[in-house]
């Protein structure tokens, strides 16, 4: 099977240097092995997705010279597949409807003496997991609800799991650190965790090359793979780049977008070379420790 990687951005903004670094890492991993680099648009969030950002992603990758293999897959066109997987988990009794609002969850956490925290903040307290069956059935008829994975029940069903971190390290899966994650939202018929797991398998992705900010999410993806009888790819989480000020190159920090750099006359080949150089100087194992590497690139002015 050809080595296959993917870049899977959410079209909720323009791409910035952090995205370019990640796309390049996935692209080069596949290219070095004579394999395929895919592009998948993760547009399941109807409230935040913009068509212009989808076009921008394709444009920015072309500017960097990163050509995806085959058709660009869009998650918004695959919702029935995610629904079918959710139905399977419902039939197995491993998910439950959650009627809680964000405010109710926050209030319950604030009122509890010991609120356990996971990688993304306080864990869901499990309120709706404990609802009596008749109340659950009654409320499902009228109240909007999300679907949560009953992680303890799911892990009891699968037994202990490991995932491959790089080719040689087996990491025990600990999805319980996230609590009962949402697999289908009230406002979207799936979630990042469910859609990404199904699509990586459907697209034959052998190696997931992505940022270390998603390291902990892998525990959930491994559990879903086991529950849905999907293969588990090898995971390679790369370090995150920071600006010269040490802050992450994320769009929310106002980092310059690739489109802005292009407009300023940046040379894409020089940028790609600088990103490859930065990749070489980043610390490697152990992944998951949050170490970052600073990156500074001033676009050469085309005005001379
Ligand atoms: N769509 C996710 C994001 O933009 C990345 C998914 C992944 O690489 O697993 O953060």
């Amino acid at each position: 099977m050809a080595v296959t990687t993917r870049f899977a951005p959410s079209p909720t903004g323009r791409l910035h240097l952090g995205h370019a670094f990640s796309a390049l890492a996935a692209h080069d991993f596949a290219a070095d092995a004579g394999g395929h680099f895919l592009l998948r648009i993760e547009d399941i969030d109807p409230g935040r997705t913009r068509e212009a950002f989808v076009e921008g992603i394709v444009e920015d990758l072309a500017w960097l010279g990163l050509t995806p293999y085959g058709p660009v897959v869009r998650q918004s066109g695959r919702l029935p597949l995610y629904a079918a997987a959710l139905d399977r988990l419902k039939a197995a009794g491993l998910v439950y409807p959650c009627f809680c609002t964000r405010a109710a969850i926050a209030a319950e956490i604030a009122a509890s003496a010991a609120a356990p925290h996971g990688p993304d903040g306080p864990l869901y307290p499990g309120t709706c997991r404990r609802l009596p069956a008749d109340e659950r059935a009654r409320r499902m008829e009228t109240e909007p609800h999300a679907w949560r994975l009953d992680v303890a029940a799911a892990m009891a069903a699968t037994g202990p799991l490991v995932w491959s971190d790089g080719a040689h390290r087996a990491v025990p899966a600990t999805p319980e650190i996230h609590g009962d994650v949402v697999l289908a939202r009230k406002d979207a018929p799936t979630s990042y965790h469910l859609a990404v797991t199904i699509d990586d398998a459907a697209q034959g992705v052998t190696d997931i090359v992505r940022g270390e900010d998603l390291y902990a999410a892998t525990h959930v993806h491994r559990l879903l793979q086991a529950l849905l009888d999907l293969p588990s790819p090898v995971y390679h989480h790369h370090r995150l780049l920071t600006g010269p000020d040490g802050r992450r190159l994320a769009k929310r920090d106002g980092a310059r977008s690739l489109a802005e750099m292009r407009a300023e006359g940046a040379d894409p080949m020089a940028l790609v070379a600088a990103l490859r150089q930065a990749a070489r100087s980043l610390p490697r194992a152990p992944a998951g420790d949050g170490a970052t590497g600073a990156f500074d690139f001033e676009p050469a002015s085309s005005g001379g």
Side-chain angles (χ1 to χ4, degrees), residues 6 8-10 42 192 196 210 214:
R6 60 18 173 219
S10 309
E42 305 219 314
Y192 160 64
V196 81
R210 65 181 175 193
L214 293 168

